[in-house]
Each structure stands twice: as C-alpha cells, then as structure tokens.
C-alpha cells in the first residue's frame, strides 16, 4: 500500500533539490553575451517537460543532478576549468550514467587546462586536476572498498546481463534494428523464404520484458559491439575537440558524446535522452542549424518519455504541458535564428523535417486509440455462452480471451520508439555534420 507521507517526502525533496538547477540557470543569464536569448533558454530548461515527467511524476532527482552538470558547464564557460572538472567528478559519483559525457570532459580539460596553447604539458595544472578528481572518487568509493563490495557495485553499474534493449525500447539505433528484425521475421513467415530463423528470438524482442535480446533473423548484438560503435562515433567528435578546445566546441562534443552513447549504448533507458537534450539546449540559439536540430531532438525526445506516464489524467497533463513548452521555446527563438533554405537540397530537407514533426499528433492519436481498439476486439472475439438449467458456462480461459489484446499490447510502445528513433538518429547525423563542417563561422559561444 502506498505511503502518503513517503510520497510527499519524495516529491517535495525532488522539487526543492531543483533549486540548484534554477540557481545555475540564473547565473547563465548574468554572464551571457545575449541575456534575453539566454533567459529563454534558461527558462526552457527549468520548465523542461523531461523534468516534469521524469522527476515530478515518475520519481527521480534528475533536476538536481543536471543542475550540477550545468554548474560544471558554467565553470567551463567562465574559464574555471579546475572547478568544472571537480564538479563533474562529483556528478559522476552521484550517478554513473554521466559517464557517457566523460570522454568530452577528459579531452577538453586535458587539452585546454593541462596543456599550453603551444602543446607543452602544464605539470602543476595536471597534478591539481588529477589529485582533485582522485580525491572525489576516494571519498565516494572508499567505504565500499573497505567493505569489499566493489564487485557488487560494478555489477550494478554495468548491467551487461540485462539485454540490449530496455523493457520499453529506448528510441535509439537498436530499436530500429530490433524493429527491422521483426519486419523481416514477418516477411519470412508469410513468404516462406528459405532463411534460418532463431526460434528463441521469435518472442524475445517485443514483449516489453527485461532480459537478453535475441534476434530471430539478424545477427545478435553483443556489449563489445555497442562499446566499439559508441567509441568510434565519439572519437570523431573528440578529434576535433582536441584541435579546437573552445567552449563551444566542448559543448557540442559533450552533446555528441552523450548522443552517441544514447544511440548505440547497451541497455539504454529512455530517460537518458535528457543527457542529450540539456546540453543541446545551450546550443539552440547559436544559429538556425543548431536550432532545427534542437527542435527535432526535443520533440522526438520528449515524446519518447510519454509512455512513462500512462494514466488518463496524467496523460492530459503531459501532452498539454509539452505542447505549451515547445510553443514557448519555438516562437521566440525562431525569430532570432531562422534562416530560409538557400538551396534546393536544403528546401527538401526542411520540408521532410516539417512533415516528420507534423506526424507526432497523428502518432499520439494512434497510440491512444490502439489500446481501446484492442480491448474491444478482445471483447468481440470472446466466446458467448448461454447459461440454462441443464448447462453451466465454463470459466473462460484467460489466455484465450486476452490473446487478441495482448498481441497488440506492445505495439503502441514499438510505434513510439521507432518513430522517435528515426528523428533522434537524423538529429544526431545533423549535429555531427554541422559540428564537423563548422570551420569559419564564429557564433556567440565562440566569442565568449
């Protein structure tokens, strides 16, 4: 039974802890090159639907921890790189998922703080940073080392036995691969194509259960594969960061590192999309290319969190609030950064992106109506028995009655995951292209 006092304590502490986030966002405004625009971005972060859905309703402390992350980023913007590194080390010990961002911090702090512009190693800075980070980790892990619990901690931090996908597929590259496997399975089953099918993979990937993901047609993905692919994509961004260790380059590489880990990581949770959307928000007003990427990723990312809230009353809140939030962000920022497409290819891309965004209301309608349709279908196909004095109706078989409904139970989640994954994958490619090809443009962040 739910304890009202405990829930009240949890909700209250979550909301109060977000004062850290609010205080940091106010400091971002004070030192901004363009305070009015930064005010919009700060407000959008503080009021982000992801925090409402994940923190205030689906209990977490993400607002507090993202406050520490933004505090660390703020220190980097202000040139206090030692403080930036210490804050990130503290954050990493609060929640290990921020390890996704660690490569960008390592390269940026090593290159810009531990090396001089000429490439000479600054021994004093290197030792200060290394000793500070080591001290944070010793304070955090020291008691567990003394109690001999490090193996248990490592097994919890790196859950390689939990399967490639989370129960509800996070909308990343593996959701698309898993969906492709299901489509191929259906095609082979109906056409009778001479293809070997892994029988254990027929039911493993689309039941919404936590466990090992086994494909029926495609080759299985192992943790080593996801790690290698993630490192490759992160390295592309990190190479440029090494040669151009500016604040803007750091912020973009930081976003791309989190993005690559989200798209290609092992057993990624849907809530990890906030690791992409929060730093990406700070780039939203840099210019139109970043702004459009931010809109695509934000709409797809926020929508992908909707299944976490599924009761009718809360569903109305999440939809209305998210729509109001995107309007609040889109209208003022588009006036500042909008650029009309300058070539036919850009016009085509712009049109396709708008069509994709316009598909979300239809998707919401479909995932709302599908459970209703499935329920009515189950009732319509249930056997009808007329009871009389000489005959008593047998108890219905729960599995046979629920079969039509359960067959479609995971379909709304799968549709949401796949559709959002398409937008998030495209936004990643978009951001990577803009970052790697941006050589001469000097935006507001580069002038800090």
């Amino acid at each position: 039974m739910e304890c009202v006092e405990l829930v009240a304590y949890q909700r209250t502490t979550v909301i109060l802890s977000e004062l850290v986030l609010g205080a940091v966002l106010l400091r971002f405004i004070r030192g901004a090159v363009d305070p009015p625009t930064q005010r919009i971005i700060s407000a959008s972060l503080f009021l982000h639907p992801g925090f409402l859905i994940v923190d205030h309703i689906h209990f977490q402390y993400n607002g507090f921890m993202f406050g520490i992350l933004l505090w660390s980023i703020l220190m980097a913007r202000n040139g206090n790189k030692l403080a930036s590194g210490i804050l990130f080390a503290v954050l990493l010990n609060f929640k290990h998922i921020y390890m996704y961002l660690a490569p960008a911090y390592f390269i940026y702090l090593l290159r810009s703080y531990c090396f001089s512009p000429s490439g000479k190693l600054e021994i004093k800075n290197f030792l200060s940073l290394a000793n500070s980070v080591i001290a944070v980790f010793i304070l955090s892990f020291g008691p567990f080392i003394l109690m001999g619990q490090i193996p248990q901690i490592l097994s919890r931090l790196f859950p390689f036995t939990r399967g490639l996908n989370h129960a509800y597929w996070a909308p990343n590259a593996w959701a698309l691969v898993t969906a492709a496997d299901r489509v191929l399975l259906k095609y082979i089953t109906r056409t009778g194509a001479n293809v070997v099918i892994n029988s254990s993979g027929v039911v493993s990937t689309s039941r919404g259960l936590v466990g090992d993901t086994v494909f029926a047609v495609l080759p299985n993905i192992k943790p080593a594969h996801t790690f290698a692919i993630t490192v490759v994509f992160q390295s592309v961004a990190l190479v440029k960061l090494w040669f151009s260790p500016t604040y803007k380059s750091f912020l973009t590489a930081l976003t791309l590192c989190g993005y690559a880990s989200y798209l290609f990581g092992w057993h990624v949770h849907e809530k990890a999309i906030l690791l992409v959307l929060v730093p990406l928000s700070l780039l939203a007003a840099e210019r139109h290319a970043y702004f459009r990427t931010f809109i695509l990723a934000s709409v797809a990312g926020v929508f992908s969190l909707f299944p976490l809230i599924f009761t009718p009353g809360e569903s109305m809140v999440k939809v209305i609030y998210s729509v109001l939030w995107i309007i609040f962000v889109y209208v003022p920022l588009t006036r500042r950064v909008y650029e009309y497409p300058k070539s036919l290819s850009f016009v085509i891309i712009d049109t396709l992106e708008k069509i994709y965004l316009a598909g979300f209301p239809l998707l919401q309608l479909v995932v709302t109506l599908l459970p209703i349709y499935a329920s009515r279908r189950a009732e319509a196909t249930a056997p009808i028995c007329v009871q009389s004095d000489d005959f008593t109706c047998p108890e219905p078989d729960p599995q046979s009655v629920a079969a039509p409904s359960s067959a479609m139970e995971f379909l709304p989640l799968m549709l949401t995951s796949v559709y959002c994954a398409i937008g998030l994958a495209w936004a990643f490619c978009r951001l990577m292209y803009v970052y790697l090809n941006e050589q001469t443009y000097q935006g507001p962040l580069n002038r800090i």
Side-chain angles (χ1 to χ4, degrees):
M1 187 174 69
E2 188 178 80
C3 177
V4 177
E5 290 81 5
L6 176 61
V7 172
Y9 168 78
Q10 291 175 331
R11 301 287 185 240
T12 303
T13 52
V14 163
I15 295 172
L16 289 177
S17 68
E18 289 192 359
L19 294 176
V20 174
L21 175 64
V24 172
L25 291 172
L26 286 175
R27 292 190 64 182
F28 262 98
I29 297 172
R30 291 171 187 167
V33 174
D34 184 2
T37 301
Q38 182 60 53
R39 192 174 292 113
I40 297 169
I41 294 173
S42 292
S44 72
L45 279 169
F46 190 73
L47 302 173
H48 202 284
F51 294 142
L52 175 77
I53 295 171
V54 178
D55 270 32
H56 301 163
I57 298 177
H58 196 271
F59 171 65
Q60 295 282 325
Y61 283 93
N62 288 284
F64 167 66
M65 285 181 285
F66 274 105
I68 300 176
L69 173 64
L70 288 169
W71 190 3
S72 175
I73 294 173
L74 178 66
M75 292 296 100
R77 191 193 75 172
N78 293 345
N80 194 343
K81 294 167 186 174
L82 178 60
S84 177
I86 293 173
L87 284 168
F88 182 72
V90 171
L91 175 65
L92 197 56
N93 283 271
F94 265 117
K95 196 168 185 178
H96 72 288
I97 196 172
Y98 292 94
M99 190 178 296
Y100 290 173
L101 310 179
Y105 267 95
F106 176 78
I107 295 297
Y108 176 66
L109 293 176
L110 181 65
R111 182 66 181 86
S112 65
Y113 183 70
C114 299
F115 282 87
S116 66
S118 62
K120 179 183 177 181
L121 178 64
E122 300 285 352
I123 299 296
K124 181 180 178 181
N125 289 352
F126 176 79
L127 292 177
S128 297
L129 181 62
N131 291 333
S132 299
V133 172
I134 291 172
V136 171
F137 275 84
I138 289 176
L139 289 174
S140 177
F141 283 92
F144 299 101
I145 295 174
L146 294 176
M147 292 186 290
Q149 294 183 345
I150 292 299
Q152 183 180 359
I153 290 177
L154 293 177
S155 67
R156 297 287 296 175
L157 294 180
F158 304 102
F160 293 127
T161 59
R162 296 186 186 177
L164 175 66
N165 295 322
H166 193 229
Y168 153 48
W169 306 345
N172 59 9
W174 308 127
L176 296 176
V177 173
T178 309
D181 182 75
R182 307 310 298 177
V183 172
L184 289 173
L185 176 62
K186 290 289 184 183
Y187 172 79
I188 293 169
T189 303
R190 291 185 179 182
T191 61
N194 187 20
V195 177
V196 178
I197 296 177
N198 185 348
S199 58
S200 61
V202 174
V203 296
S204 77
T205 57
S206 62
R207 293 294 180 266
L209 302 175
V210 175
D212 193 19
T213 300
V214 180
F215 294 143
V217 181
L218 298 175
N220 290 322
I221 305 296
K222 302 298 182 182
H225 302 150
T226 65
F227 179 78
I229 295 172
T230 301
V231 169
V232 167
F233 278 98
Q234 286 185 341
S235 298
V236 174
L238 295 176
V239 168
K240 179 172 181 179
L241 177 60
W242 176 265
F243 291 104
S244 178
T246 64
Y247 168 69
K248 180 188 172 184
S249 185
F250 162 65
L251 189 55
T252 312
L254 184 74
T255 305
L256 287 168
C257 280
Y259 219 146
S261 299
Y262 180 82
L263 285 180
F264 305 108
W266 180 268
H267 196 75
V268 175
H269 287 243
E270 62 281 352
K271 293 170 284 189
I273 191 59
L274 290 173
L275 288 172
V276 177
L277 300 183
V278 170
L280 183 58
S281 298
L282 298 176
L283 292 164
E286 178 65 7
R287 63 188 181 98
H288 184 259
Y290 287 98
F291 172 69
R292 175 55 69 86
T293 306
F294 162 75
I295 291 296
L296 287 166
S298 294
V299 173
V302 170
F303 195 97
S304 72
L305 297 174
F306 278 8
L308 294 175
I309 307 299
F310 47 83
T311 61
E314 293 170 340
S315 295
M316 288 293 293
V317 171
K318 72 185 181 186
V319 172
I320 294 174
Y321 185 86
S322 298
V323 170
L324 292 176
W325 178 83
I326 200 66
I327 292 173
F328 164 78
V329 177
Y330 181 83
V331 172
L333 288 185
T334 195
R335 293 172 182 168
R336 288 168 164 78
V337 300
Y338 181 75
E339 298 175 8
Y340 189 80
K342 299 177 181 178
S343 66
L344 178 60
S345 59
F346 286 173
V347 170
I348 295 173
I349 292 173
D350 182 72
T351 302
L352 291 175
E353 289 174 348
K354 288 178 179 177
I355 292 173
Y356 172 78
L357 291 172
F360 278 97
L362 178 61
L363 177 61
Q364 177 61 35
L365 182 64
V366 170
V367 299
T368 302
L369 295 180
L370 263 178
I372 300 174
Y373 167 74
S375 178
R376 292 183 178 178
R377 183 185 175 192
E379 294 175 0
T381 55
I384 299 175
C385 177
V386 179
Q387 187 168 342
S388 63
D389 295 337
D390 300 327
F391 177 76
T392 301
C393 293
E395 291 293 329
D397 183 0
Q399 293 185 349
S400 63
V401 173
S405 176
S406 60
M408 301 179 67
E409 184 178 354
F410 194 66
L411 185 56
L413 291 175
M414 186 169 66
L415 290 174
T416 299
S417 180
V418 170
Y419 194 79
C420 292
I422 293 172
L424 288 170
W426 169 246
F428 172 76
C429 296
R430 211 180 193 285
L431 183 61
M432 183 70 80
Y433 176 83
V434 172
Y435 178 56
L436 296 180
N437 288 275
E438 193 168 48
Q439 298 177 351
T440 58
Y441 179 81
Q442 293 293 316
L445 294 180
N446 274 341
R447 295 197 295 269
I448 294 177

